[in-house]
Amino acid sequence: MSMALIGFISLIVVSLLFILYYLLSMTNNKPKKIGNEFQKNMSISTVADLNTIEFPKNIEHMKFDSLSKATKVIFDSYKALNYMNKLPSSLDKIEWHTWQVSIILRYLKSKNKIFITSDNIFHSVILELSESQINLELQKIYNKYANNVNIKKSRDDLSKDIIWTAREVSIILYKIINSK
């Protein structure tokens, strides 16, 4: 009789574990789907303001002269990579790191214009964008920065954080050059 009781209790425990596993797997799947959809909708509908975006402390407190020089170095690197003459698909390659993007976004936030000597350094894909399209692309970049960058990381860590496309960098630099 005690074997029957142990078997019955075991059956109930196994059944409860199965039901618990099933309920947990259902709740784990639903939030992920809802969360991903929510994140996609948030990234489209949320408006990140460049004026409220914070940058790593070393960049946030850079003197303007240092910030300008750093932006100029990034700009020169961009020109040297000659995106203007590459295939449009090359703009979609993720090859820029967060430290660089932080510097140029911080420069853009300063509302200063940088003057260049060459006439055209941007790919025609960028040059053909309307001002509203540029602003929409910038909004996506601001949202990506606000949602994905940990400003408390060190310079070395942010330099290893390669999540930015040449297109995103092109748009920021284009806006810096053509700011009004």
Side-chain angles (χ1 to χ4, degrees):
M1 185 151 181
S2 64
M3 281 302 256
L5 184 59
I6 292 173
F8 180 73
I9 292 174
S10 297
L11 181 62
I12 290 175
V13 169
V14 169
S15 298
L16 287 174
L17 287 174
F18 179 76
I19 291 169
L20 183 62
Y21 173 75
Y22 179 75
L23 290 174
L24 285 175
S25 68
M26 282 182 54
T27 58
N28 283 343
N29 288 339
K30 285 184 181 177
K32 286 181 184 174
K33 289 180 182 176
I34 291 170
N36 288 341
E37 289 172 15
F38 179 74
Q39 287 174 343
K40 286 178 187 173
N41 290 338
M42 285 299 289
S43 67
I44 292 169
S45 63
T46 301
V47 176
D49 182 11
L50 181 62
N51 294 320
T52 61
I53 290 177
E54 293 183 22
F55 297 98
K57 186 171 69 170
N58 291 347
I59 293 173
E60 193 71 51
H61 294 99
M62 249 185 206
K63 292 182 180 177
F64 182 73
D65 187 47
S66 298
L67 183 62
S68 294
K69 287 178 184 174
T71 301
K72 179 78 170 102
V73 168
I74 293 168
F75 199 87
D76 290 342
S77 297
Y78 177 86
K79 286 195 300 189
L81 290 168
N82 195 22
Y83 288 111
M84 179 181 73
N85 295 317
K86 292 185 177 183
L87 293 174
S89 60
S90 69
L91 295 176
D92 295 328
K93 289 183 182 174
I94 296 174
E95 49 192 14
W96 289 82
H97 58 73
T98 298
W99 187 257
Q100 294 165 315
V101 170
S102 296
I103 289 170
I104 60 176
L105 280 175
R106 177 64 182 93
Y107 189 87
L108 180 62
K109 182 178 179 179
S110 74
K111 296 185 177 21
N112 284 287
K113 191 174 182 176
I114 197 167
F115 297 97
I116 59 166
T117 55
S118 65
D119 293 356
N120 183 16
I121 58 160
F122 297 105
H123 195 282
S124 61
V125 169
I126 303 300
L127 296 173
E128 292 169 358
L129 293 173
S130 68
E131 188 169 340
S132 64
Q133 289 171 315
I134 292 285
N135 290 332
L136 181 63
E137 292 294 324
L138 280 168
Q139 186 60 58
K140 290 177 186 176
I141 293 167
Y142 302 159
N143 287 343
K144 181 177 177 180
Y145 192 93
N147 293 326
N148 295 299
V149 174
N150 180 354
I151 63 168
K152 299 201 184 306
K153 285 185 176 181
S154 69
R155 176 185 180 158
D156 290 340
D157 289 337
L158 291 173
S159 293
K160 294 174 189 169
D161 190 28
I162 302 172
I163 62 171
W164 303 94
T165 66
R167 179 183 177 84
E168 292 165 326
V169 170
S170 297
I171 289 171
I172 298 167
L173 292 174
Y174 180 85
K175 186 66 175 181
I176 288 172
I177 291 170
N178 294 296
S179 63
K180 295 178 181 175

